[in-house]
């Protein structure tokens, strides 16, 4: 066989890239070591699009699940600054477009970062349970993540249950150290807990623009003529509501200093209503164009924070116990999400600590096969 034929055959071969398919909280996607992906961002994104099968509404030719919650990627590497054990980069891979967004955090996928690192040898267990400091590169946020590691191996089975995931699993505890202003300029990017914005065809609307880990716009469901207890299917079929919410999102984003977000997955939009099943508040979140079956981790933290701000739209409907330490149960379409908040005694509007419980599971380990047309992945050792 000639050298030319060898080269032609080589160009037709698929590329194998090591990865693990993992569930983190109520999200799922492949996890990669940083060294197994190209250092160049454009090339890296092209690899991720090929791996997920995007752009395609069904993602039929890749690992994506044709839903925003299952079109996510985790990229993990060792910590590069003192005190940080691990670095995590979250990537939201567009389903219908050739776009990858690494601007926002994802607290659900974050829950699988330490298990992945333990599985791949990036970290070593520290006893029956292990706590590691993780830097979320998307926003520079740090958190401490604790997982169970009996016998030096990460444990997945257990009694912890989170709504939106069937069965039970071992707990993953995430203690966020500083989440305010993750993407925006601060906790209240407009400088106010309450703003009024134009609502197409219905005058104006009171909103709260807030970012305590996730940029969000909160609205009272009643102000939009909805109960806030509609099913996910009902809200996804509500074309008029979705049109109004998107128009509000684009206007609010400019108030928040985010500019044109027409092609961005943030800010998330959230309808709030009084709780129905013993929680603190009821929510229906759009992420941002599809109603979430549950609620994202950092979205829950942000909503819970809004509940303690006296002038916010959430405070007007939330039911909270008094005190500087609060357990805020955020109701969502498939259950509830509890967030532990510790408030600053000197400023009750300042959240010192946000803690929560997630679970994670390794689903599959191996190699994702990239089509021959995909750009070359990194040749660095894994």
């Amino acid at each position: 066989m000639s050298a030319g034929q060898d080269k032609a055959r080589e160009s037709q071969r698929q590329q194998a890239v090591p990865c693990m398919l993992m569930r983190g909280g109520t999200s799922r996607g492949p996890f990669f070591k940083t060294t197994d992906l190209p250092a160049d961002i454009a090339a890296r994104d092209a690899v991720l699009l090929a791996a997920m099968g995007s752009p395609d509404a069904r993602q039929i030719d890749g690992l994506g699940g044709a839903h925003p919650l299952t079109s996510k990627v985790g990229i993990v590497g060792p910590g590069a600054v003192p005190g940080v054990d691990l670095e995590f980069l979250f990537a939201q891979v567009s389903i219908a477009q050739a776009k990858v967004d690494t601007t926002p955090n994802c607290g659900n996928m974050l829950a699988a970062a330490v298990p992945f690192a333990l599985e791949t040898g990036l970290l070593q267990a520290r006893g029956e349970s292990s706590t590691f400091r993780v830097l979320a590169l998307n926003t520079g946020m740090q958190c401490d993540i604790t997982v169970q590691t009996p016998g030096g191996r990460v444990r997945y089975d257990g009694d912890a249950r989170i709504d939106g995931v069937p069965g039970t699993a071992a707990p993953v505890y995430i203690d966020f150290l500083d989440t305010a202003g993750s993407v925006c300029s601060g906790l209240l990017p407009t400088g106010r807990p309450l703003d009024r914005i134009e609502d197409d065809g219905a005058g104006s609307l009171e909103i709260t623009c807030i970012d305590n880990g996730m940029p969000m716009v909160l609205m009272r469901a009643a102000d939009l003529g909805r109960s806030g207890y509609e099913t996910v299917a009902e809200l996804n079929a509500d074309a008029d509501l979705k049109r109004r919410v998107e128009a509000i999102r684009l206007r609010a984003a400019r108030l928040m200093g985010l500019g044109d977000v027409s092609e961005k997955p943030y800010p998330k939009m959230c309808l709030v209503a009084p709780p129905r099943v013993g929680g603190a508040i009821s929510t229906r979140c759009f992420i941002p164009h599809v109603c979430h079956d549950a609620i994202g981790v950092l979205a829950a933290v942000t909503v819970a924070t809004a509940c303690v701000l006296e002038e916010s739209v959430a405070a007007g409907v939330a039911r909270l116990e008094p005190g500087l330490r609060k357990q805020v149960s955020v109701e969502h379409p498939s259950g509830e999400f509890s967030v532990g908040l510790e408030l600053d005694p000197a400023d009750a509007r300042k959240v010192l600590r946000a803690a929560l419980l997630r679970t994670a599971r390794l689903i599959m380990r191996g190699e994702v096969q990239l089509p021959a047309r995909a750009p070359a992945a990194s040749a660095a050792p894994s």
Side-chain angles (χ1 to χ4, degrees), residues 179-226:
T179 52
S182 67
V183 176
C184 301
S185 59
L187 177 67
L188 297 172
T190 70
R192 301 172 295 276
L194 192 69
D195 287 284
R196 186 170 285 276
I197 198 167
E198 182 184 352
D199 176 17
D200 288 351
S204 62
L205 180 77
E206 287 187 333
I207 62 173
T208 292
C209 301
I210 184 170
D211 178 3
N212 199 24
M214 178 64 65
M216 297 190 73
V217 178
L218 276 57
M219 307 158 286
R220 300 182 193 95
D223 291 346
L224 289 161
R226 305 305 189 271

Side-chain angles (χ1 to χ4, degrees), residues 19-56:
C19 72
M20 292 184 179
L21 187 65
M22 304 195 72
R23 176 183 64 77
T26 54
S27 297
R28 189 197 71 208
F31 276 67
F32 298 89
K33 284 185 177 181
T34 304
T35 51
D36 287 329
L37 294 173
D40 177 77
I41 293 176
R44 179 202 68 196
D45 289 352
V47 167
L48 298 183
L49 288 163
M52 298 300 282
S54 292
D56 173 55

Side-chain angles (χ1 to χ4, degrees), residues 71-91:
S71 190
K72 299 183 174 186
V73 172
I75 304 170
V76 183
V81 298
V84 171
D85 300 300
L86 200 68
E87 293 183 349
F88 170 74
L89 181 70
F90 163 66

Side-chain angles (χ1 to χ4, degrees), residues 149-173:
T149 50
R153 297 176 62 88
V154 60
R155 180 181 180 183
Y156 295 108
D157 65 302
D159 298 325
R161 182 186 301 275
I162 60 173
D163 289 326
V165 177
T168 62
V172 177
Y173 296 103

